[in-house]
Amino acid sequence: MVFNSLPFAVFFLILFAVYFIAPLKLRRYVLLLASVVFYLFSGLENLPFILLALLAAYAASGKMGALYDKMELEIKKGKLEGAEKAELTRTYKKRCKRYLVPAIIFIVGMLVLSKAGTLIARAVGDYAENGGDIIRVIVPLGISYYTFSLVGYLLDVYWRKMKRVSDLSLLALGVFWFPQILQGPISKYSQLIPQLEKPARFDWDRICSGLQLMLWGYFKKLVIADRLSVFVTTMFAADKDLSKTPAYILAAGLFLGAMQLYADFSACMDIASGVSEIFGIKLPRNFEQPFFSKSVAEFWRRWHVTLGTWFKDYVYLPISTSPRLIHIMAFVKKKINARVGRAVGTAIPLFIVWLLTGMWHGTGWNYVLWGLYYGTIITLTTIFAPEIKKLNKALRINTETQAWRVFQSVRTVILFCVGRLITMPATLKDSGAALSSLVSARQWFLAKGSFLSYGLDGAGLAIALSGVALMLLVDKLQVSGSVREKLRQQNVVFRYLIYWAAIFVIIFLGIYGPGYERVQFTYMNY
Amino acid sequence: MSNRWKNVVKAAVFCLPLILYAFIFIKYEPYNYWGLRDDLGDTVSAVTVIRRALRSDCKNIVIGASKMANLDTDDLIKMGLTDEKWTNLSFNGASVSEECELLRYIIDSGKDVKKVTILTSFWSALVTSGVDRVKTAIDEIALDPAGYVFSPNSHVEAFNAFLNTNLAKKTSGSTETYKDNVTRIWTNAMESNKYAVSWENKLIEVVKYCKERNIEISIGALPLRQEVFEFIRKYGREDELHFYKEVLSEVTEFYDMEYEESAWTDSTEFIDSMHFKGYDQLTDENFSEEHPVLMDVLSVAFKKEGQEVKRLNHSLQMEEVFKINNLNLPADGESHFYSAPINLEPDSIYLVSIKGNVGDIDAKAKYMQFYVQHYSDYYNSFTELSKSDDNMTFWVYSDIDDNYWAVIQTGDLITDDYNFVIKYQSKSGDEEDAAKAVDLQIEELGIYRYSGFDSQREAEKTERMGLDDILDSVFDHGGKKAEFLKEFFEDESILSAENIQLPGDTGELQQWFDTIRLDPNSTYLVACQGDLTEAKISSETFYIDCFTPYYSQHYNSIEEYAASVDSVSFVPSRLPGTDDVYWMVFDTGDLTFDTFAFRIIYQGTQGLNIDWLDVYKLS
């Protein structure tokens, strides 16, 4: 059940009514039941995986929690302090590790198996020229998202950043929470669970605010993303020889592809956050106007924020602060110099993070390359930041001007589009073909082509481009302060006019209903 | 006011335009989906009538095109024309094919249909559309209310209807005079459309379908305005006008209101060349005086007692071309053949009539087959010779003559000398079939050519270069490559290749190609000679397509560019001594480019060896 479907509309309306009619005490269970029903719409075969992951995390966190409780008791009883307390803590941590490691291996193992299984099935299918029908691999809905959340939860309990969740139904609600199971965000249970525990009362303003966010999400999805999707999928279809596509059309396709992805993904986040807000739960923000970033590193801090935060908290920081890496840095420093030692200390965790990020996004070699692409850019810009600063100074570039900021944003967008070039075409060979067109002067200046040959007519393209302009304008306004807050300060007539306009634009210009193939949210199958 | 009430007021105010819009949508939605619209406006679509059918018991159905689409059948009871409730499934622009499809869908959907009246006209015979709106309506909208509501197109159309009804300035209408309108549409209809028996066969099929299910079915031909008959005469199409009625009246009860001598052609009773005035005044007291033509049409169609119906009594001009008497082929399990020479002409209509103990021909089709055969190496059914869009031939049992007959139409024939063959084998391995086996006893089998169209055909023949001419110019009877006659081709061959060899033993796809320049809207002939034994077995294993090596991102087959898609596969030359000579003719449509690659893609177990291959543009 996707957000842009009729069943979801019916599901949401029923849940809304039942939730606010139900007694406060029962509301949490209403949400749990609704979330399980929502998940079951993806197929019964997915259920065992998520249940097993939930039970494994619950059991391991329970054991760890019990051990830490026992430890606290011993510390209290023995009034331990200093070295004794530290020794006892180390001992208990070690014991906890016995539960932590198998649980993580089990939960992550299911994710790895489903990803690897897809690769194997594809390889077998290709070998047998049978389209991969020989082996059927189940990729449970939202497996990447709940796996990451549960691993984060286990590590937080292990590191004693949060207490274990002793109520299974509460943890289950966190895992199954339907607005975020499709595409995230990857919530930290330390922030999510306390909100889920507390039932929400009917609050007009909060509900309106949630609906407002949903409306903006539907506008981006139905008017912009699904319309651009027609253009982009036609251009990058598997049978297209991209080396023959005029470079200016290809460049426009890459830009629109980036906009389509942003509109699609951020739309889903807005709908998910809007729905959650209606039920009194604030999900973490996943996008912070990424296309106005000054560098690629900043871009990735503002794009899919929760994934970046997860990798930072649970991969980057543990690696960069690990004794092993510090030893390596010290060794390099001793053998070469301190600068190179620091560079190694920067490069190793960054490359590991970006390799894993690439593999999280997809199972092909192009995703590995994609991860290396960003790993290289971010590592180099981090290591050579002093040189870049010196160069700017030498060239007398005033980095404080508006023009420079615009240049930085455009440069970031171009680098992002180049990154998309690696994953958008069907194969790496196609990516190469597209690149050959983009670097060919003939393809820029002599090749003939039409923007209207990619599934959208003039009106469709105009609507899509207007939508993109509006989306970027709202983002630009958001940079200087909350647009929703500004809207809230307007008088009711103006606000309602905006809402009505958005509703009727979706009704008349949206891509939905029979005759249109419903486009799934892009990040749904991770 | 408490906060709660404030919120209720806020919600109500917010929802007000949305509720208002919901009312506008329901009032102006394009298909009267829920039957809530009072006035359907000028357009009644396939979706509208399917939804109407779903709401109705459909005991009695009247079906037709725009001429009947605006009829409110509830008024018929008020008018006293009938006591029964009828469901009108006529929609604007309906082709006969769509009407038949819709009718079958309604019958198959389990409705207890008792009586069907199909109201058609000569216009439907001439102007047919390849669009299948019934299928689209069923597949996409008619059965999916949620899909309908959640479709931007529905909303845009409803909004347009709202604007047109309430806000658009009333214009005085088209400045085109009535006479100009008739001239334009009928001139176009006459000049652009050939008569095809396929549409009659569709009606015959649906009549059979109804009769097998004990559904009473009748067909009526609706009146045309006086001036239209002048056009029909001017273009020499009167015989066609009579022919379809003659054929259909053999099949079922047929009411003819479409003849020049009738009072129903009164020009004042039409809004254009064929649509009636007065649908909005059916229940007016003096309706029958003000609109006598529509009154009569409805009276005939709904069979008010005492109404005199003029039956067609036009004798067809049939010329006997073949006859067999007393042919007996025994039911002994062996395969029996009967063969005799027959001359067939291109673009002609033939009636095949069989009398005798032949049982149910359709049921026996797998054991008894009628062929026309050309020389000894190739069999053709009649339909294979036909150029009509769909090759349906229905054997119809005629109550009047106690015999079976079928109407067939030939297309471009490569020769006029054929053999007529009957192949009969009474038994198969199926015991039940074997028990039913009877001797085939044909008392009389006649094939008659309908000569009524000859004057028109003769005129066309002089303009058209037949395939016979093309073949004679391309091949000599020795099977060798001949010198092409300059008058048939603009230039020398535009592509010429020799010794094309594609190995087949590896089982891999093999490809050969060369560049070729093609002009839009032109006809090309591809001829080749070689060992295509295996390739000719299936058109899928040997085909030629074109793709542009420049600019375009994907391959395009000739079909994609072709205005006509019925002639793109290779056929053997069929001329004596030309066993290894093949040719095909293809037409290009509007081409985006002029440079293509001419490809042969072959995958087979034997090698493909082409001695020579030439492509010519036909002048």
Side-chain angles (χ1 to χ4, degrees):
Chain A
M1 191 175 2
V2 289
F3 291 152
N4 54 334
S5 67
L6 190 62
F8 177 75
V10 175
F11 167 85
F12 174 72
L13 288 174
I14 293 171
L15 174 63
F16 182 85
V18 173
Y19 182 82
F20 287 110
I21 289 168
L24 277 176
K25 275 183 184 174
L26 293 179
R27 285 185 184 178
R28 175 150 61 93
Y29 301 102
V30 170
L31 290 186
L32 176 61
L33 182 69
S35 296
V36 173
V37 168
F38 182 91
Y39 196 77
L40 283 175
F41 267 86
S42 70
L44 195 60
E45 72 269 23
N46 293 332
L47 196 62
F49 297 91
I50 192 169
L51 281 178
L52 285 172
L54 167 69
L55 291 174
Y58 180 73
S61 65
K63 286 285 180 190
M64 288 192 289
L67 280 170
Y68 283 138
D69 287 347
K70 201 175 162 192
M71 181 187 81
E72 290 291 339
L73 208 65
E74 278 182 37
I75 291 171
K76 218 174 175 183
K77 259 187 183 174
K79 292 180 182 171
L80 301 178
E81 274 180 6
E84 281 179 329
K85 187 181 169 185
E87 182 55 37
L88 188 72
T89 308
R90 255 197 303 278
T91 311
Y92 272 92
K93 261 194 145 180
K94 243 183 191 172
R95 282 194 207 167
C96 285
K97 221 174 191 172
R98 287 183 210 152
Y99 299 104
L100 174 78
V101 173
I104 288 181
I105 289 173
F106 180 72
I107 294 167
V108 174
M110 282 194 283
L111 173 66
V112 172
L113 276 179
S114 75
K115 295 249 175 187
T118 311
L119 269 181
I120 293 165
R122 203 183 296 157
V124 172
D126 287 347
Y127 179 73
E129 293 178 356
N130 197 23
D133 287 332
I134 292 171
I135 299 175
R136 185 172 167 257
V137 177
I138 296 170
V139 182
L141 181 72
I143 187 167
S144 295
Y145 298 102
Y146 67 70
T147 298
F148 275 38
S149 286
L150 283 173
V151 169
Y153 162 67
L154 285 170
L155 287 169
D156 281 349
V157 172
Y158 173 70
W159 289 328
R160 298 171 69 202
K161 284 184 179 173
M162 75 174 285
K163 286 246 172 212
R164 65 167 164 153
V165 181
S166 51
D167 184 342
L168 178 62
S169 69
L170 196 58
L171 186 63
L173 179 54
V175 175
F176 278 96
W177 180 229
F178 74 91
Q180 64 171 28
I181 198 79
L182 290 177
Q183 289 200 90
I186 301 165
S187 289
K188 282 191 160 209
Y189 286 172
S190 55
Q191 291 159 2
L192 180 68
I193 297 288
Q195 296 187 73
L196 293 171
E197 202 170 4
K198 206 174 154 192
R201 289 176 184 278
F202 189 92
D203 180 334
W204 173 263
D205 290 336
R206 195 192 67 238
I207 289 166
C208 286
S209 176
L211 289 172
Q212 180 198 63
L213 203 53
M214 286 174 72
L215 185 61
W216 178 234
Y218 280 115
F219 172 81
K220 285 196 281 187
K221 172 68 179 165
L222 300 175
V223 179
I224 306 171
D226 286 358
R227 183 165 271 110
L228 284 178
S229 168
V230 176
F231 186 88
V232 174
T233 48
T234 310
M235 180 177 286
F236 294 99
D239 62 342
K240 292 284 166 71
D241 182 359
L242 293 173
S243 66
K244 301 286 187 293
T245 307
Y248 51 90
I249 292 181
L250 201 55
L254 283 170
F255 173 73
L256 292 179
M259 291 301 127
Q260 184 265 334
L261 183 68
Y262 176 55
D264 187 280
F265 196 9
S266 65
C268 184
M269 289 305 104
D270 287 344
I271 297 167
S273 299
V275 172
S276 291
E277 197 174 338
I278 286 167
F279 298 106
I281 291 142
K282 260 197 155 9
L283 293 180
R285 293 199 64 177
N286 226 6
F287 290 94
E288 303 272 2
Q289 305 82 45
F291 289 108
F292 296 96
S293 306
K294 287 181 279 186
S295 67
V296 172
E298 187 190 341
F299 180 92
W300 283 104
R301 286 196 296 276
R302 294 165 71 162
W303 175 285
H304 208 169
V305 177
T306 55
L307 179 71
T309 308
W310 193 93
F311 273 115
K312 187 187 81 185
D313 289 349
Y314 303 111
V315 180
Y316 181 82
L317 288 177
I319 293 173
S320 53
T321 55
S322 73
R324 268 193 203 136
L325 184 70
I326 291 165
H327 282 143
I328 293 169
M329 285 166 70
F331 177 77
V332 176
K333 184 182 170 185
K334 200 174 159 187
K335 288 284 174 190
I336 308 172
N337 61 35
R339 177 84 197 274
V340 179
R342 274 202 308 277
V344 168
T346 307
I348 289 176
L350 272 176
F351 267 98
I352 291 173
V353 163
W354 278 102
L355 212 57
L356 289 174
T357 308
M359 287 158 73
W360 184 87
H361 277 88
T363 46
W365 283 107
N366 50 346
Y367 285 96
V368 174
L369 191 66
W370 179 86
L372 290 175
Y373 168 78
Y374 281 114
T376 308
I377 291 177
I378 294 171
T379 305
L380 290 179
T381 48
T382 309
I383 292 169
F384 295 107
E387 281 75 14
I388 294 167
K389 209 171 176 183
K390 274 181 199 165
L391 185 69
N392 285 340
K393 211 172 176 185
L395 294 171
R396 296 188 176 180
I397 295 168
N398 183 355
T399 54
E400 297 305 313
T401 59
Q402 189 66 29
W404 180 251
R405 277 190 212 111
V406 171
F407 163 74
Q408 285 177 309
S409 296
V410 171
R411 182 186 61 191
T412 307
V413 172
I414 290 171
L415 286 170
F416 179 71
C417 290
V418 174
R420 292 284 291 154
L421 188 62
I422 302 169
T423 53
M424 261 164 75
T427 61
L428 271 178
K429 200 179 162 193
D430 293 329
S431 300
L435 195 63
S436 75
S437 172
L438 285 170
V439 296
S440 156
R442 185 179 179 279
Q443 290 299 101
W444 275 102
F445 302 110
L446 297 175
K448 285 178 188 170
S450 168
F451 284 98
L452 304 181
S453 310
Y454 299 93
L456 285 185
D457 57 8
L461 212 50
I463 293 166
L465 291 175
S466 308
V468 168
L470 180 66
M471 180 174 70
L472 293 177
L473 178 70
V474 170
D475 270 12
K476 181 69 191 158
L477 292 173
Q478 187 78 23
V479 173
S480 56
S482 168
V483 172
R484 296 175 74 196
E485 192 51 47
K486 282 172 198 158
L487 195 58
R488 204 171 287 132
Q489 287 162 7
Q490 301 298 320
N491 70 54
V492 69
V493 178
F494 181 77
R495 280 205 319 266
Y496 278 17
L497 282 175
I498 296 272
Y499 300 151
W500 289 329
I503 290 170
F504 285 112
V505 165
I506 291 170
I507 289 175
F508 288 103
L509 302 179
I511 300 273
Y512 59 93
Y516 295 109
E517 204 164 312
R518 184 176 291 120
V519 182
Q520 283 202 337
F521 284 100
T522 311
Y523 267 68
M524 222 178 100
N525 294 322
Y526 289 99
Chain B
M1 206 187 314
S2 70
N3 264 349
R4 178 175 293 182
W5 282 109
K6 267 185 192 171
N7 292 340
V8 170
V9 171
K10 275 189 218 168
V13 171
F14 181 77
C15 292
L16 208 60
L18 305 179
I19 293 165
L20 188 67
Y21 175 71
F23 277 112
I24 290 175
F25 179 72
I26 290 167
K27 169 96 177 135
Y28 294 98
E29 50 96 3
Y31 303 131
N32 195 22
Y33 208 82
W34 295 278
L36 299 171
R37 280 185 67 171
D38 312 325
D39 172 27
L40 276 176
D42 295 332
T43 52
V44 180
S45 71
V47 179
T48 308
V49 295
I50 292 169
R51 291 295 302 176
R52 186 184 289 160
L54 294 175
R55 289 193 297 271
S56 154
D57 63 2
C58 289
K59 222 168 194 171
N60 304 304
I61 289 173
V62 56
I63 195 162
S66 55
K67 288 180 278 299
M68 298 304 291
N70 291 94
L71 169 69
D72 183 346
T73 45
D74 287 345
D75 289 343
L76 295 172
I77 300 172
K78 291 177 198 160
M79 292 164 78
L81 283 174
T82 176
D83 297 330
E84 296 171 307
K85 187 166 170 46
W86 285 75
T87 306
N88 185 4
L89 301 185
S90 313
F91 63 95
N92 290 69
S95 66
V96 169
S97 169
E98 287 173 319
E99 290 166 14
C100 294
E101 187 183 351
L102 174 59
L103 188 54
R104 288 179 70 139
Y105 170 74
I106 299 299
I107 294 168
D108 290 345
S109 67
K111 296 276 183 187
D112 184 23
V113 182
K114 297 281 183 215
K115 218 185 283 179
V116 172
T117 297
I118 299 175
L119 296 169
T120 187
S121 78
F122 187 52
W123 175 267
S124 301
L126 285 177
V127 183
T128 55
S129 142
V131 182
D132 189 348
R133 281 158 294 194
V134 171
K135 187 175 186 313
T136 310
I138 292 167
D139 288 350
E140 292 182 4
I141 301 174
L143 308 179
D144 180 10
Y148 173 57
V149 173
F150 289 96
S151 160
N153 291 340
S154 311
H155 292 277
V156 171
E157 285 182 48
F159 191 64
N160 286 340
F162 169 74
L163 292 180
N164 287 337
T165 312
N166 299 294
L167 303 175
K169 283 184 182 171
K170 302 283 179 205
T171 59
S172 54
S174 165
T175 52
E176 189 180 40
T177 64
Y178 157 70
K179 204 166 180 184
D180 289 343
N181 175 270
V182 173
T183 306
R184 181 171 58 80
I185 67 165
W186 280 93
T187 304
N188 187 44
M190 292 293 168
E191 291 181 355
S192 310
N193 300 287
K194 270 187 181 179
Y195 188 85
V197 297
S198 58
W199 81 279
E200 293 163 19
N201 281 333
K202 282 198 166 123
L203 282 173
I204 291 168
E205 182 198 18
V206 89
V207 166
K208 284 182 76 177
Y209 195 74
C210 288
K211 286 189 171 175
E212 281 162 12
R213 285 158 184 77
N214 295 320
I215 297 168
E216 193 183 307
I217 182 165
S218 58
I219 302 175
L222 294 167
L224 293 171
R225 191 168 169 152
Q226 183 71 45
E227 291 87 336
V228 174
F229 292 96
E230 290 166 20
F231 274 87
I232 294 173
R233 260 201 314 281
K234 181 181 161 191
Y235 283 90
R237 311 288 285 261
E238 313 99 294
D239 291 314
E240 296 173 8
L241 178 69
H242 297 303
F243 184 79
Y244 92 89
K245 294 171 191 170
E246 194 69 46
V247 170
L248 291 175
S249 62
E250 283 286 306
V251 185
T252 192
E253 200 172 10
F254 189 89
Y255 302 97
D256 184 24
M257 294 169 265
E258 186 189 44
Y259 57 99
E260 195 173 3
E261 305 80 28
S262 77
W264 293 325
T265 58
D266 181 0
S267 300
T268 60
E269 290 294 300
F270 293 84
I271 52 174
D272 52 23
S273 60
M274 54 191 151
H275 295 95
F276 310 114
K277 285 178 183 172
Y279 277 117
D280 52 345
Q281 296 160 27
L282 290 180
T283 50
D284 287 2
E285 240 176 64
N286 49 356
F287 171 75
S288 54
E289 287 86 51
E290 286 188 4
H291 301 287
V293 171
L294 184 55
M295 185 65 198
D296 283 353
V297 165
L298 297 176
S299 303
V300 173
F302 297 96
K303 303 187 190 78
K304 190 183 174 190
E305 275 183 31
Q307 180 70 37
E308 192 180 328
V309 176
K310 181 179 167 65
R311 285 294 301 268
L312 174 78
N313 190 19
H314 186 90
S315 69
L316 294 175
Q317 302 166 45
M318 304 300 281
E319 168 201 340
E320 184 183 303
V321 292
F322 186 81
K323 197 154 199 172
I324 309 171
N325 287 311
N326 300 322
L327 176 70
N328 190 1
L329 299 177
D332 54 7
E334 295 298 319
S335 189
H336 294 280
F337 287 90
Y338 167 83
S339 175
I342 182 175
N343 289 325
L344 295 174
E345 291 192 26
D347 277 337
S348 298
I349 292 175
Y350 290 88
L351 190 110
V352 186
S353 167
I354 305 172
K355 206 172 179 180
N357 180 18
V358 294
D360 181 342
I361 287 184
D362 283 343
K364 265 187 192 165
K366 55 184 169 177
Y367 307 126
M368 183 170 75
Q369 291 165 326
F370 295 85
Y371 290 108
V372 271
Q373 177 193 37
H374 174 58
Y375 299 109
S376 58
D377 59 345
Y378 201 80
Y379 293 95
N380 296 292
S381 70
F382 275 113
T383 50
E384 203 173 320
L385 299 170
S386 166
K387 211 183 169 188
S388 80
D389 288 340
D390 61 328
N391 296 323
M392 285 194 308
T393 299
F394 292 99
W395 292 100
V396 175
Y397 184 74
S398 166
D399 294 327
I400 301 166
D401 298 331
D402 191 25
N403 67 359
Y404 284 93
W405 55 265
V407 180
I408 56 161
Q409 188 169 20
T410 55
D412 289 327
L413 302 184
I414 56 168
T415 180
D416 54 3
D417 297 323
Y418 290 89
N419 279 349
F420 181 76
V421 178
I422 301 172
K423 179 186 166 194
Y424 181 65
Q425 187 169 15
S426 60
K427 290 176 186 171
S428 71
D430 188 330
E431 281 182 21
E432 198 181 327
D433 283 338
K436 288 182 194 165
V438 290
D439 289 355
L440 179 69
Q441 291 173 321
I442 295 175
E443 288 170 26
E444 186 181 293
L445 184 149
I447 300 179
Y448 307 90
R449 181 170 174 276
Y450 179 58
S451 55
F453 303 168
D454 277 359
S455 56
Q456 185 197 345
R457 302 289 173 233
E458 283 304 320
E460 280 178 7
K461 269 183 186 173
T462 56
E463 294 166 10
R464 187 171 56 83
M465 182 174 69
L467 287 176
D468 266 350
D469 303 327
I470 297 171
L471 286 173
D472 285 345
S473 67
V474 176
F475 309 109
D476 66 19
H477 284 206
K480 291 172 189 165
K481 184 179 175 185
E483 285 301 312
F484 290 85
L485 299 178
K486 281 277 180 190
E487 64 259 36
F488 288 118
F489 305 107
E490 283 184 348
D491 298 300
E492 290 297 317
S493 62
I494 57 166
L495 187 151
S496 188
E498 289 184 352
N499 290 327
I500 301 168
Q501 295 187 339
L502 299 173
D505 52 346
T506 62
E508 296 293 326
L509 269 179
Q510 302 293 335
Q511 184 177 183
W512 174 90
F513 78 92
D514 199 353
T515 51
I516 186 172
R517 287 179 74 86
L518 299 175
D519 295 329
N521 301 310
S522 304
T523 304
Y524 293 87
L525 181 133
V526 185
C528 64
Q529 184 172 23
D531 179 9
L532 281 75
T533 318
E534 186 184 18
K536 78 176 175 186
I537 294 167
S538 164
S539 59
E540 287 170 13
T541 56
F542 178 64
Y543 62 95
I544 292 185
D545 68 357
C546 285
F547 73 95
T548 165
Y550 312 108
Y551 306 132
S552 176
Q553 291 78 42
H554 68 292
Y555 296 99
N556 297 293
S557 66
I558 287 175
E559 283 100 323
E560 203 170 315
Y561 286 116
S564 153
V565 296
D566 59 358
S567 58
V568 290
S569 53
F570 272 73
V571 291
S573 77
R574 301 181 192 172
L575 293 173
T578 61
D579 289 345
D580 58 351
V581 176
Y582 297 83
W583 58 271
M584 74 167 184
V585 175
F586 71 89
D587 298 330
T588 54
D590 293 327
L591 301 184
T592 323
F593 306 101
D594 59 359
T595 306
F596 297 84
F598 187 94
R599 301 195 305 164
I600 299 172
I601 296 178
Y602 174 70
Q603 188 171 26
T605 52
Q606 293 176 23
L608 178 70
N609 301 307
I610 297 174
D611 300 337
W612 56 264
L613 182 144
D614 285 329
V615 183
Y616 287 85
K617 182 180 175 185
L618 298 183
S619 56

